[in-house]
Amino acid sequence: MEKECFAFNLKLVLMQRTFVPMGFEDMNMRNGRALSDQWADSVVVRPRTTEQHVKVHKRLVLGFAISILTLIIVTVIALSVSFERCAAESSGTLAGNGSSNKSSQSRDRSISHRVSEDGQQPWRHLRLPATLRPRHYDLRLSVYMDNFTFSGEVNIEFECVNSTKFIVLHTDRLEVTKVLVYSDSKKTGVMRIHRRFYHQPNQVYVIALHREMKPLRTYKINITFEAQIENELLGFFRSSYMLYGERRYLAVTQFSPTHARKAFPCFDEPIYKATFRVSLRHESSYQSLSNMPVETSTSDEDGWVTNHFSRTPRMSTYYLAWAVCNFTYRESKTDNGVVIRLYARPDAIQSGSGDYALHITKRLLQFYQDYFKVKYSLPKLDLLAVPKHPYAAMENWGLSVFVEQKILLDPDVFSFSYQMELTMVVVHEICHQWFGDLVTPVWWEDVWLKEGFANFFEYIGTDFLFPKWNMENQRFLTDVLHEVMLLDGLASSHPISQEVYEATDIDRVFDWIAYKKGAALIRMLANFMGQPVFQRGLNDYLMTHMYGNAARDDLWNKFSEAMQRVGKVINITEVMDRWTLQTGYPVVTISKNDSLVNTVTISQEHFVYDTDAKIRNPQLFNKSFQWQIPLTLKVGNSSHVSRETTIWVCNRTEMHRVGHMDGETWLLGNINQTGYFRVNYDLYNWRLLIQQLMTNPTIIYVGNRAGLIDDVFNLARAGYLPQNIPLQIISYLSQESEFLPWHAASRSLYQLDKLLDRTEDHSLFSDYVLKQVSPKYHKMGWPTTSSDGSFMQAAYHSQELQREVIMLACSFGNKHCHRQAVSLMSDWISSNKNRILPNVRDIVYCTGVSLMDEDVWEFIWMKFHSSTAVSEKKILLEALTCSDNIYLLNRLLNLSLSSDMVPDQDVIDVIIHVARNPLGRHLAWRYFREKWDILNSRYGEALFLNSKLISGVTEFLNTETELNELKDFILTCGGAAAPAFARAVEIVQANVKWRTLFEQQFYQWLRKAPGG
């Protein structure tokens, strides 16, 4: 490298000597005195000679100089070519996203040489160097909706923390056209740039300065750029909708987690908080929105307008946002003056579809302010309903963006389940205004700090809005706890706090482990801390870290301090690190100790479905996997149940004294399922619990009835229990009058059904299920209408129980259920008047399409295109996947991906629902493999979508042939989504293993079952 440096400097000296003789001294001073300077001295600074020797000297010097010069030039050319090749290899793409001009590249390559010489290449690391800290962005954009491009200029004021010559910041797909760096010190002015280039692997733009920036001084960088408004789902992207037969366009941002860099150069990491001023220039036929209100607006003579938005508080780049659209809005205002607006398509606003979300948002802002005792920080909150978005919603501070399906509620056709889902999405996003926006995780490894809290408060906030729904004590169990424990019981699971080593790891941390396990752990924590202490800890945490960043230890410390204030000394960090830094969760086994009176033996071990994994990977599943478990326990019999006691289980095996026990006393652990673990018992205790459920189920709390069902099915699947125990426990369901245990049972039964629905003896299983379901189905019947045609409203839990039972009955083949669904469909088709009640429409549509002829499918397809109700379109589309006609299913798959008839975010749901159809399973699996390149390019960068697709298509595969097909496919195409495919292989292996080990045993018991 020293030779290369010498050759390059020498080349510059020769160029200067040839073309600018008088500038040679300046070049020496600029480069220092290297060998080139010594050579220059020997040639230029010669001692005087006598006149008679001058001619001889001239000839000798001239000949010698020409020879040396020729040799040097040849050497320089060779070395400089070699150097250029090395420099290109060391720094990635030389042009800055295609932006740096050639002269600046050539002039500034020497900086790359000196950097590599010093071993300083900060652009090669995943994280930005900590040498600079942004303070403020002044961002000005011009948006051209006619050709879907935009141009921009950003001025970033930043502080130098440690001396450096490098400015490293993120860009992606931006064409940088100009860069200027200014010093704000006493000697203000433009700083000389040696070189600038783009390093593609880490999506960073590097500006190398001639001289170092000094600590504690502020500087400014000005960057102009331009880019496309992509027809994708990330960065600054476009969408469209039809209004009165005309296609209209809008453009909106989606920056989380790492896509702000697609819209402007920035320090795109959550730790680099700064303030922002955004200005948007666009045609006056459009309006623009951003996180803050419009401060001033100016109009140009050419019909363009520029909106200048107020300065934001300190915030991270990923929840900065803006939109350019021609929507209309409805408005509300809180008691303390926060303006709330819901923007949507003009026809949706006119129909009142946004009114419900607007109403509950106003109530939720007040609820969270009261709960956290921290005011909402901005003067306004806009809710933006867009036709196309990669996620349900995004919590941009002051401008939350929702896909239409998750915020627009059509007053005449919505079902209760749709209302509940929409409510919880809104509750989730409003919570993020505190957890995520006001206080932001330091880094993505602790993304659960915001997503876990938002997921937990979905249920707390919904209970505030609708106390009778009792969401936290009921639906939380089935929809969060039971669901995430399925995923977290896999050997391929991961800790909730996981290291992020590569850029691809950032997307990987956004999964149900972060969201739902995070929520379950927070719920467990809140229960053993007590509600008042928990709220005090949250308030301290938010107040301490507002407008800043926090890590998990910051939260644990505040909770420990809150506990100490009430005289409880619990080291929250020590307890919770076991739950956040270890993979999975324990199964706690409780059994009576025969040798000691009134004593139980309690043991814990890592629960995993694939027990062979403990043999294959003993280091992963060793004895160090232990948790500090807050186990709540009751003992009871047919007439009496003890008070709840709490036992902290910290060892692998412990013995504890409990209340009085005799031969008929049963044990029940994890009361109300507040803990994040499964509970197992000896077989005798299981029989006592089943007997209790058969004789008087209500003596056991409803949450634990649901928990017993979920635990027993999953313990049996993992081989902890015989396969007949779960089938015995559901035989009590005919006496169950609560929704929650039925919901837990149906989820478990559908899991079993996907293993059995293509087997010869499947009817044995479906008949057994119908035997349990039919009494309740015939007792409850179908929802009815009153004499005036209006729906007779029942209580929430009664509605949901009736719907659950009807769905089970129709799914497993109850003849009466089928006739009723066909009758309702026929009435709709013949009268062209839809009298099917919203709460059962999805069941009726799907059942009708599966049982009736092709004309019904075409009728539903037509209604899907003509309907303007967002909720109705969703269930119509899903109904089309229920057909038993392979030609129609194949047609639907091709239309969904190759045309604009199906919204982008719904394509994945179509493929997954076809896979759920036993007759479409093989078709969807083949289609997935054939179209993988297209699907991966379209959805690969979007969080959840790829993993959701992979899981949805593969989880139903259960034969050795399908497992081998999956493995072969991964070998050739699966590198892009390795974690999702690893989970898929494990699930399919478990499916195959269960069928091999237990299928015949399962059917043998069914043949012998009473009435089987």
Side-chain angles (χ1 to χ4, degrees):
M1 293 300 288
E2 289 179 0
K3 289 181 179 178
E4 292 172 0
C5 184
F6 163 59
F8 189 76
N9 287 335
L10 185 57
K11 183 179 178 182
L12 290 175
V13 169
L14 289 171
M15 290 170 64
Q16 289 281 8
R17 180 171 174 79
T18 304
F19 298 109
V20 194
M22 296 304 292
F24 192 76
E25 289 181 352
D26 292 339
M27 182 58 70
N28 288 339
M29 293 176 65
R30 199 172 296 134
N31 288 316
R33 294 184 63 82
L35 283 172
S36 56
D37 301 316
Q38 297 171 22
W39 177 84
D41 287 345
S42 69
V43 174
V44 178
V45 189
R46 303 293 297 172
R48 288 182 176 272
T49 58
T50 59
E51 197 170 50
Q52 61 192 19
H53 293 119
V54 168
K55 291 184 179 179
V56 176
H57 280 293
K58 283 184 177 178
R59 290 193 188 99
L60 288 172
V61 170
L62 184 61
F64 178 73
I66 291 172
S67 299
I68 294 297
L69 188 60
T70 303
L71 178 61
I72 289 172
I73 289 172
V74 171
T75 304
V76 167
I77 291 172
L79 289 174
S80 62
V81 169
S82 174
F83 170 75
E84 288 170 15
R85 188 180 298 115
C86 291
E89 291 172 355
S90 71
S91 60
T93 309
L94 288 174
N97 267 358
S99 62
S100 298
N101 58 61
K102 292 182 180 179
S103 63
S104 68
Q105 292 174 25
S106 175
R107 185 174 63 249
D108 298 321
R109 282 195 188 101
S110 60
I111 191 69
S112 176
H113 163 65
R114 285 202 295 273
V115 169
S116 58
E117 190 175 52
D118 297 336
Q120 297 174 349
Q121 294 185 338
W123 54 87
R124 288 188 174 277
H125 303 292
L126 168 64
R127 301 288 299 272
L128 293 177
T131 50
L132 305 177
R133 184 187 299 125
R135 290 170 134 188
H136 177 70
Y137 293 78
D138 192 347
L139 177 61
R140 302 172 187 177
L141 297 175
S142 294
V143 181
Y144 307 99
M145 295 297 291
D146 56 341
N147 62 2
F148 303 119
T149 63
F150 67 100
S151 61
E153 177 184 0
V154 64
N155 285 286
I156 309 173
E157 178 186 318
F158 60 90
E159 178 185 356
C160 180
V161 179
N162 296 308
S163 298
T164 182
K165 292 183 179 181
F166 302 109
I167 301 171
V168 183
L169 69 172
H170 290 105
T171 67
D172 184 22
R173 306 184 195 180
L174 301 178
E175 185 74 17
V176 175
T177 57
K178 185 180 178 183
V179 179
L180 294 171
V181 181
Y182 299 91
S183 171
D184 274 0
S185 63
K186 294 178 181 178
K187 297 180 181 179
T188 58
V190 178
M191 299 182 70
R192 184 180 168 198
I193 296 173
H194 261 289
R195 180 167 173 249
R196 53 189 173 96
F197 61 89
Y198 182 61
H199 184 62
Q200 171 61 39
N202 289 329
Q203 297 178 344
V204 291
Y205 197 82
V206 183
I207 297 100
L209 301 174
H210 175 67
R211 60 185 175 87
E212 283 189 336
M213 294 175 286
K214 301 301 181 183
L216 303 180
R217 292 184 182 176
T218 58
Y219 299 84
K220 288 183 180 179
I221 184 170
N222 175 278
I223 305 175
T224 56
F225 57 95
E226 54 192 34
Q228 301 286 320
I229 301 174
E230 302 285 357
N231 187 25
E232 297 180 3
L233 297 169
L234 300 168
F236 188 25
F237 68 93
R238 66 183 186 265
S239 182
S240 67
Y241 58 97
M242 298 298 294
L243 184 67
Y244 311 127
E246 174 191 354
R247 183 163 295 280
R248 295 193 177 186
Y249 290 91
L250 67 143
V252 66
T253 58
Q254 170 55 40
F255 291 162
S256 178
T258 57
H259 304 291
R261 63 194 69 174
K262 289 181 169 68
F264 67 106
C266 57
F267 296 82
D268 200 12
E269 292 181 9
I271 191 68
Y272 291 113
K273 287 196 168 187
T275 56
F276 294 81
R277 276 192 187 274
V278 176
S279 298
L280 294 173
R281 180 176 177 269
H282 49 80
E283 293 177 88
S284 57
S285 58
Y286 290 89
Q287 62 181 312
S288 53
L289 306 170
S290 189
N291 304 78
M292 298 295 286
V294 174
E295 192 171 64
T296 60
S297 185
T298 57
S299 298
D300 299 340
E301 295 179 358
D302 57 2
W304 284 60
V305 65
T306 302
N307 284 332
H308 304 276
F309 296 90
S310 299
R311 187 180 183 125
T312 71
R314 289 184 73 242
M315 59 185 289
S316 303
T317 51
Y318 79 84
Y319 50 94
L320 186 71
W322 60 80
V324 176
C325 59
N326 41 30
F327 284 172
T328 54
Y329 65 87
R330 292 277 176 91
E331 181 179 297
S332 184
K333 186 180 286 188
T334 66
D335 293 341
N336 53 356
V338 177
V339 176
I340 308 168
R341 289 179 176 176
L342 189 142
Y343 288 84
R345 291 177 283 111
D347 53 338
I349 293 296
Q350 187 175 1
S351 69
S353 296
D355 293 354
Y356 173 75
L358 187 65
H359 170 69
I360 64 172
T361 297
K362 178 180 177 180
R363 295 183 62 199
L364 286 167
L365 279 179
Q366 189 61 53
F367 163 73
Y368 282 126
Q369 288 183 142
D370 293 342
Y371 192 101
F372 300 139
K373 295 181 172 55
V374 178
K375 285 188 176 181
Y376 175 70
S377 302
L378 304 187
K380 62 97 174 175
L381 174 58
D382 293 335
L383 313 176
L384 180 65
V386 297
K388 182 173 77 171
H389 198 265
Y391 318 121
M394 176 61 205
E395 69 268 16
N396 309 310
W397 211 1
L399 177 58
S400 292
V401 181
F402 298 75
V403 69
E404 288 182 338
Q405 293 176 359
K406 304 301 182 183
I407 195 168
L408 299 182
L409 191 71
D410 305 289
D412 299 325
V413 296
F414 72 88
S415 65
F416 171 78
S417 58
Y418 186 86
Q419 179 191 12
M420 183 186 72
E421 183 181 2
L422 184 153
T423 301
M424 295 176 75
V425 171
V426 175
V427 174
H428 181 109
E429 301 309 323
I430 304 305
C431 178
H432 272 314
Q433 306 294 306
W434 283 263
F435 284 90
D437 295 353
L438 183 64
V439 178
T440 309
V442 170
W443 183 234
W444 299 114
E445 64 190 13
D446 279 331
V447 71
W448 71 270
L449 279 177
K450 73 184 187 77
E451 296 301 347
F453 273 103
N455 211 256
F456 172 67
F457 275 100
E458 283 182 25
Y459 297 83
I460 306 300
T462 303
D463 277 346
F464 163 75
L465 295 171
F466 303 100
K468 292 182 179 179
W469 291 5
N470 197 17
M471 297 291 287
E472 193 247 321
N473 289 322
Q474 297 217 7
R475 287 299 283 259
F476 186 95
L477 304 185
T478 52
D479 297 2
V480 176
L481 183 66
H482 297 172
E483 185 169 323
V484 75
M485 290 177 90
L486 279 172
L487 182 64
D488 206 21
L490 299 175
S492 56
S493 187
H494 59 80
I496 191 172
S497 292
Q498 53 179 326
E499 296 292 338
V500 175
Y501 297 107
E502 300 177 9
T504 53
D505 292 337
I506 295 173
D507 290 346
R508 179 169 56 83
V509 301
F510 285 83
D511 62 6
W512 285 144
I513 300 296
Y515 282 66
K516 298 197 172 189
K517 182 175 181 177
L521 294 182
I522 291 164
R523 179 173 177 263
M524 179 174 73
L525 189 61
N527 274 276
F528 76 69
M529 287 180 67
Q531 194 64 37
V533 182
F534 177 72
Q535 281 187 250
R536 176 65 183 269
L538 290 184
N539 172 256
D540 289 348
Y541 171 77
L542 291 171
M543 291 296 291
T544 300
H545 301 287
M546 62 195 318
Y547 305 111
N549 300 80
R552 60 181 177 272
D553 282 350
D554 297 315
L555 179 66
W556 303 152
N557 290 338
K558 291 302 177 185
F559 280 150
S560 292
E561 291 170 10
M563 294 285 281
Q564 289 168 8
R565 287 193 188 100
V566 296
K568 297 179 180 179
V569 182
I570 296 179
N571 188 328
I572 300 294
T573 303
E574 186 178 325
V575 173
M576 295 307 297
D577 275 355
R578 302 288 185 96
W579 295 97
T580 59
L581 301 180
Q582 292 183 153
T583 299
Y585 56 87
V587 52
V588 176
T589 301
I590 309 171
S591 57
K592 295 176 184 175
N593 189 309
D594 294 332
S595 59
L596 295 172
V597 179
N598 299 333
T599 302
V600 294
T601 300
I602 304 171
S603 62
Q604 60 164 299
E605 67 173 292
H606 185 184
F607 177 87
V608 63
Y609 290 101
D610 183 7
T611 51
D612 293 340
K614 296 182 179 182
I615 301 170
R616 290 195 307 270
N617 195 347
Q619 290 183 336
L620 180 62
F621 300 101
N622 59 23
K623 292 185 178 181
S624 67
F625 271 70
Q626 291 184 30
W627 290 262
Q628 293 192 21
I629 303 168
L631 173 66
T632 49
L633 186 69
K634 286 186 177 184
V635 296
N637 54 36
S638 58
S639 60
H640 175 74
V641 180
S642 71
R643 295 179 63 182
E644 176 183 320
T645 59
T646 300
I647 300 170
W648 279 92
V649 181
C650 302
N651 302 304
R652 291 190 66 80
T653 302
E654 300 179 1
M655 288 186 292
H656 292 272
R657 288 184 62 83
V658 294
H660 174 74
M661 293 187 297
D662 57 31
E664 300 302 310
T665 302
W666 43 257
L667 299 161
L668 183 66
N670 197 14
I671 307 307
N672 299 338
Q673 285 208 290
T674 56
Y676 186 70
F677 49 88
R678 297 197 184 281
V679 182
N680 194 13
Y681 310 94
D682 57 69
L683 286 177
Y684 183 70
N685 196 76
W686 276 114
R687 292 192 180 101
L688 289 174
L689 288 169
I690 292 171
Q691 182 180 340
Q692 181 66 64
L693 291 172
M694 295 293 293
T695 56
N696 181 14
T698 58
I699 204 168
I700 296 174
Y701 176 69
V702 63
N704 279 110
R705 302 202 295 271
L708 286 169
I709 291 170
D710 184 69
D711 276 347
V712 78
F713 271 91
N714 285 282
L715 289 166
R717 177 161 184 180
Y720 287 87
L721 289 174
Q723 299 304 304
N724 62 306
I725 302 297
L727 294 175
Q728 288 178 10
I729 205 169
I730 65 166
S731 62
Y732 99 93
L733 282 175
S734 59
Q735 300 180 62
E736 181 58 73
S737 58
E738 294 284 347
F739 159 74
L740 190 66
W742 274 97
H743 191 48
S746 69
R747 292 171 65 92
S748 297
L749 290 170
Y750 290 134
Q751 287 285 332
L752 264 180
D753 191 54
K754 77 181 182 186
L755 296 172
L756 302 169
D757 60 9
R758 293 181 292 173
T759 61
E760 291 182 4
D761 293 328
H762 179 248
S763 60
L764 282 172
F765 175 61
S766 58
D767 289 348
Y768 184 81
V769 173
L770 285 177
K771 181 187 174 187
Q772 317 310 319
V773 172
S774 292
K776 183 65 67 174
Y777 167 76
H778 290 294
K779 181 179 180 180
M780 298 200 74
W782 285 68
T784 56
T785 55
S786 59
S787 56
D788 62 356
S790 61
F791 174 46
M792 294 181 67
Q793 187 75 21
Y796 151 65
H797 292 289
S798 297
Q799 284 187 60
E800 287 298 276
L801 175 59
Q802 184 180 49
R803 170 185 161 77
E804 196 76 53
V805 171
I806 291 171
M807 185 178 292
L808 280 166
C810 278
S811 296
F812 284 93
N814 181 282
K815 296 291 191 293
H816 180 274
C817 192
H818 284 179
R819 287 195 298 271
Q820 182 71 7
V822 169
S823 173
L824 290 168
M825 281 293 295
S826 300
D827 176 68
W828 180 23
I829 294 169
S830 61
S831 68
N832 202 28
K833 184 176 181 180
N834 193 344
R835 286 184 276 261
I836 305 168
L837 297 174
N839 219 36
V840 294
R841 281 189 180 182
D842 56 338
I843 304 171
V844 173
Y845 293 176
C846 182
T847 306
V849 166
S850 67
L851 296 175
M852 301 169 78
D853 59 23
E854 185 177 333
D855 290 342
V856 175
W857 193 93
E858 296 290 354
F859 176 80
I860 295 290
W861 179 248
M862 177 191 69
K863 291 294 183 182
F864 168 71
H865 286 292
S866 62
S867 176
T868 57
V870 176
S871 58
E872 184 74 355
K873 288 180 78 72
K874 181 177 182 289
I875 60 174
L876 287 166
L877 183 61
E878 290 177 0
L880 294 167
T881 68
C882 299
S883 175
D884 61 359
N885 186 316
I886 298 299
Y887 164 76
L888 292 175
L889 292 176
N890 198 45
R891 177 183 160 196
L892 178 63
L893 287 170
N894 287 319
L895 284 172
S896 65
L897 193 60
S898 61
S899 71
D900 59 358
M901 295 180 179
V902 176
D904 280 355
Q905 66 266 15
D906 292 336
V907 172
I908 285 177
D909 288 332
V910 169
I911 300 171
I912 290 173
H913 279 82
V914 171
R916 288 178 181 171
N917 181 342
L919 295 173
R921 191 162 303 159
H922 184 70
L923 182 67
W925 172 225
R926 186 181 67 202
Y927 188 82
F928 168 83
R929 287 174 290 166
E930 290 174 352
K931 305 296 184 184
W932 169 248
D933 288 342
I934 299 172
L935 292 165
N936 189 49
S937 65
R938 184 181 294 188
Y939 303 111
E941 281 194 283
L943 305 177
F944 287 118
L945 292 187
N946 240 10
S947 57
K948 176 184 176 182
L949 173 63
I950 292 165
S951 171
V953 171
T954 60
E955 67 175 329
F956 301 97
L957 306 179
N958 55 37
T959 67
E960 195 72 44
T961 300
E962 290 167 338
L963 175 59
N964 290 331
E965 288 174 348
L966 174 59
K967 289 179 177 178
D968 290 343
F969 176 75
I970 293 171
L971 285 175
T972 56
C973 304
F981 278 120
R983 285 194 297 271
V985 169
E986 186 179 353
I987 290 169
V988 178
Q989 283 176 332
N991 292 345
V992 173
K993 180 180 176 181
W994 186 92
R995 291 192 61 188
T996 302
L997 295 178
F998 302 126
E999 183 181 318
Q1000 290 308 312
Q1001 175 188 335
F1002 187 81
Y1003 278 136
Q1004 284 173 6
W1005 186 89
L1006 284 174
R1007 290 187 183 96
K1008 297 176 182 178

